[in-house]
Amino acid sequence: MRKSLFLTKFAVTFTHTAFDIQHMKFAEVLLPLSIPGTYTYQIPQDMTVGVGSRVLVPFGRKKIYTGIVESTHDLAPQGYQVKELITVLDTSPIVRHPQLKFWEWMASYYLCSMGEVYKAAIPSGLKVESETFISPNPDFEEDPDLRLSDRERVVLDFTAQRGRVQIADIAAATGFKTVEGTVHKLLDRGAIHVSERVIDNYRPKTESCVRLTIKPGDEQALHGFFDMVKRARKQEQLLLAYLDLARWLNLPGEPLEVTKEALLKRADVSQAVLSAAQQRGIFEVYKRPVNRFVSLGDQHQDPPTLSQAQQQAYHEIHQSFKTQAVTLLHGVTSSGKTSIYMHLIADTLRLGMQVLYLVPEIALTTQLTRRLKVVFGDRLLIYHSKFSDNERVDIWRRLLHSDEPCVVIGVRSSIFLPFSKLGLIIVDEEHDSSYKQQDPAPRYNGRNAAMVLAKMHGAKTLLGSATPAIEVYHRALDGQYGLVKLLTRYADMQLPTVKVIDTKQARKRHEMKGMFSQELIALCRQALQQGEQVILFQNRRGYAPMVRCKECGWVPRCDNCDVSLTYHKFTRSLTCHYCGHTITLPTLCPACQMPGIEIVGYGTERIEDEIDNVFPGEKISRMDLDTTRSKASYDRIIDEFSAHKTNILVGTQMVTKGLDFDAVSIVGILNADTMISFPDFRSHERAFDMMEQVAGRAGRAHKQGQVIVQTSNPQHPVIDFVQRHDYEAFFNHELDERRRFGYPPFVRIINIYLRHRDDAIVNELAVRYSTLLRQTFGNRVLGPESPMVARVQQMYIRQIVLKMELQASMTKVKQILRALYEQMLTIDGRMKAVRLHYDVDPV
């Protein structure tokens, strides 16, 4: 009895049918879980299943998942009873064969499961899920000798009041942190039922339409309707308007569909008039699904005319594509790379092919969309995470069911879309670390994955950047990629001058006002008086990175992570940027009870606050993660700055990436030291990229801009390279360092992370596991060591670094790592409680 209560109420039968097992068909189903391989399910006799289709399957004791059919066969598994598919959700596949092949590559290269790739690739709206519900058992009688505990009684009473609730609802209403244990005890005693409800997250967009309740051609019934409304003038208007819009009397066959909005507008009547006609049985209102996006159309106008230098680069790219699958366009900031992209896109569309245009940040799609829309019109599609899930599903279905030429602009997740005739992939700002997915798996690099995707489709890839990634530029010089250079700005505008200010000396001379040097303030004031604009770059959001007590030195730290809490003045809260843990800023120090809390350091919120005091009355906007959480917020910030509604833009690295503002003449980099001094072998590359890119926002249209770099270490080589805009010298300097110490592009790095709630256990197991790894990989293994943030979300972390030769097979490496992990499980059973993941090619 207990078992039947625990199992799902979903009607699924797992018994064998009467036909001979030799004639059974089976499906290998991929589930959105971090488990290796596929699971075998029996296909019911009356069910037709195709590869790439979604199927609803039972998993475990009571879970239901949406799986993807990877293959079908007639080989019955041995040793266990096979469950049946519940139902097929699609009449045709929702993924194409090249996608499954691409998923296999991604799982193999990035050392994760196919299920994790599937989970990341498919929009949530296409993954039907099961929800666990709790309901009271009306036949339950409490045993007098085994009374319910107070906690159990509270849960049962709440369930009885609501009738049917989810576990999350119980936790929210009761305040109990762990409800599952109580639910299981009630379940054991037969006090409650557990059931599953299958839900579909996707909701198609619909619109209301109106039709007559009679069949077309029934003139006698139509005359009857006119007799009904002859004394109701507005209803008569409504009927005449419908007949006109639907062409009810003129068309053979079915009349045209008429939307409710169009009918009310044509008849010039209210909703009440339509409701009255409905009550009389004249009209009925129904819903029809509509696509959220307009249909494909022809381009509106030709791409912009290219300058002589751009035309030369465009021609060289075409020549490079004849022999190379991948070409790098090294073009300085404001050289007009986007105009070249437009011509290449137009060429590809004329061939009837599709284009994927990747950008690192959602913010870039705002300006790019407008520029591309003018040229490509309705052939332009946009895909990123700020879209609702329903919008993303609609784009997915549109590409799945149409092979018409189009251009998709989006961030890294766009590589998973079901392209059918992909001809070109453009990866703009290819150096950007935002192309790297950090958590959860698959931890892929969108740029590298895009090149593999293009190869599978027989398409070309164009990488574009003013500061190419060291690995990419090295491969281009080595002949593995084509290389085209565009080293002059459009209209021969000069690159901005770079002025370096030694903040250490400036503070000694009392020439600093908070984070602003007197020279930076003077230049900003002069630019604003001339009607020009200013960008101030500080790569840290929030008001201040920490607060502390002046009296005792107390610093508030996250309860879950080994980091100090960041102060956000607007909400007067202290927040962890790793786990989101938030507390209110105390007025008294909790340690010494003194009112000595002080703010330490500067984030973008504090910069915005203080610059408002320096330039009172000036219009200021801020672009960081806190101000750009919605899809519309990017557009608003960029629109206001472009229209001079704001003249000072304060931002994090978001402002460094490809934004085009004609009137910006001054860019201030407020603290270069935090970027240069970061403990990572890529820190100098990231620092150079960000400073050079943000410098490129200045002086793009009318006059040479100026960049102010504030640093306490003006002699640092990276500062010198930025001052001279000398990418080639920086590249050679960085390449020598990497060659000497054995870093990419000369080796491939795999970071192995182990996480556990007990610091001592994870440390011991990391040492034992690294020893096991060294027995196979030798001195390629470094560590284990604690990363810079050694505890996140109450999990202690250890990191092992594996340096592999470039020619090593990632498939073979994955097999070895899997075997060693399984060996470790047999050596020490505690390893099962350790969360282990791999990060291939970390950035």
Side-chain angles (χ1 to χ4, degrees), residues 424-586:
L424 174 67
I425 297 180
I426 296 170
V427 185
D428 196 18
E429 310 293 350
E430 59 80 19
H431 66 276
D432 200 285
S433 60
S434 296
Y435 282 120
K436 175 69 172 178
Q437 164 75 11
Q438 300 297 343
D439 279 306
R443 295 169 180 84
Y444 65 96
N445 188 306
R447 175 199 64 211
N448 298 346
M451 290 188 278
V452 174
L453 177 68
K455 185 178 179 180
M456 289 180 174
H457 282 267
K460 301 295 185 182
T461 304
L462 180 66
L463 310 176
S465 177
T467 55
I470 298 294
E471 294 96 317
V472 169
Y473 200 67
H474 177 68
R475 292 190 186 107
L477 293 179
D478 204 33
Q480 297 177 52
Y481 303 157
L483 176 61
V484 176
K485 295 185 179 183
L486 182 60
L487 302 181
T488 58
R489 279 188 151 189
Y490 186 74
D492 293 324
M493 284 298 303
Q494 295 296 307
L495 287 166
T497 59
V498 179
K499 171 76 173 178
V500 178
I501 294 178
D502 187 340
T503 54
K504 190 186 297 182
Q505 295 299 320
R507 290 191 193 282
K508 287 181 180 179
R509 296 191 297 265
H510 304 289
E511 295 175 353
M512 295 288 292
K513 186 174 183 179
M515 281 290 287
F516 314 107
S517 62
Q518 289 183 1
E519 187 168 356
L520 175 60
I521 292 172
L523 289 169
C524 290
R525 180 171 285 113
Q526 181 182 349
L528 294 169
Q529 288 171 350
Q530 294 174 354
E532 297 164 351
Q533 293 175 300
V534 173
I535 290 178
L536 298 175
F537 171 60
Q538 174 75 348
N539 200 31
R540 186 186 291 273
R541 67 184 175 100
Y543 191 84
M546 63 179 284
V547 300
R548 71 183 172 204
C549 176
K550 292 185 290 187
E551 305 297 333
C552 69
W554 172 80
V555 174
R557 300 184 68 83
C558 178
D559 292 341
N560 308 312
C561 312
D562 281 345
V563 292
S564 59
L565 298 176
T566 300
Y567 176 52
H568 290 256
K569 184 181 179 182
F570 180 74
T571 57
R572 195 173 170 75
S573 62
L574 296 166
T575 301
C576 174
H577 288 172
Y578 283 83
C579 72
H581 173 69
T582 300
I583 63 173
T584 303
L585 179 70

Side-chain angles (χ1 to χ4, degrees), residues 684-756:
H684 290 176
E685 181 181 6
R686 277 196 294 265
F688 178 84
D689 290 348
M690 278 194 276
M691 286 190 279
E692 187 66 19
Q693 290 286 341
V694 76
R697 302 314 107 205
R700 297 177 69 90
H702 306 297
K703 73 173 190 179
Q704 187 177 23
Q706 190 165 8
V707 180
I708 308 300
V709 179
Q710 297 186 161
T711 174
S712 62
N713 187 10
Q715 287 77 37
H716 198 285
V718 171
I719 300 293
D720 179 54
F721 296 135
V722 170
Q723 195 167 13
R724 295 189 282 121
H725 300 293
D726 195 342
Y727 173 81
E728 294 282 351
F730 167 75
F731 169 79
N732 291 326
H733 177 271
E734 188 71 10
L735 198 68
D736 287 342
E737 292 283 307
R738 305 248 185 122
R739 183 184 289 109
R740 192 186 321 165
F741 295 105
Y743 283 107
F746 303 104
V747 298
R748 174 175 286 118
I749 288 182
I750 303 171
N751 284 339
I752 305 172
Y753 292 96
L754 296 89
R755 300 170 188 253
H756 194 278

Side-chain angles (χ1 to χ4, degrees), residues 594-610:
M594 296 294 289
I597 303 293
E598 67 173 348
I599 308 300
V600 181
Y602 286 80
T604 48
E605 191 180 354
R606 188 175 186 182
I607 298 296
E608 179 187 25
D609 201 14
E610 295 202 0

Side-chain angles (χ1 to χ4, degrees), residues 802-826:
L802 181 60
K803 289 186 175 182
M804 295 300 303
E805 294 82 359
L806 296 176
Q807 61 270 25
S809 165
M810 290 302 292
T811 302
K812 184 67 174 176
V813 170
K814 184 177 183 179
Q815 292 171 353
I816 295 172
L817 288 173
R818 181 70 190 176
L820 291 175
Y821 173 70
E822 291 174 354
Q823 184 180 343
M824 184 66 191
L825 288 175
T826 62

Side-chain angles (χ1 to χ4, degrees), residues 152-186:
E152 290 167 349
R153 194 173 300 282
V154 168
V155 171
L156 184 59
D157 289 347
F158 176 74
T159 306
Q161 290 171 10
R162 298 285 293 273
R164 194 165 182 264
V165 295
Q166 289 183 268
I167 290 178
D169 297 332
I170 299 173
T174 62
F176 298 155
K177 290 186 177 179
T178 54
V179 180
E180 291 80 2
T182 306
V183 168
H184 278 292
K185 289 178 181 178
L186 290 170

Side-chain angles (χ1 to χ4, degrees), residues 154-215:
V154 168
V155 171
L156 184 59
D157 289 347
F158 176 74
T159 306
Q161 290 171 10
R162 298 285 293 273
R164 194 165 182 264
V165 295
Q166 289 183 268
I167 290 178
D169 297 332
I170 299 173
T174 62
F176 298 155
K177 290 186 177 179
T178 54
V179 180
E180 291 80 2
T182 306
V183 168
H184 278 292
K185 289 178 181 178
L186 290 170
L187 187 64
D188 288 341
R189 299 184 61 176
I192 58 174
H193 296 299
V194 174
S195 62
E196 295 283 329
R197 183 185 73 175
V198 176
I199 60 169
D200 189 344
N201 291 320
Y202 175 63
R203 295 291 179 271
K205 185 178 181 181
T206 60
E207 63 182 354
S208 297
C209 292
V210 181
R211 61 189 170 206
L212 290 178
T213 56
I214 59 176
K215 293 182 179 180

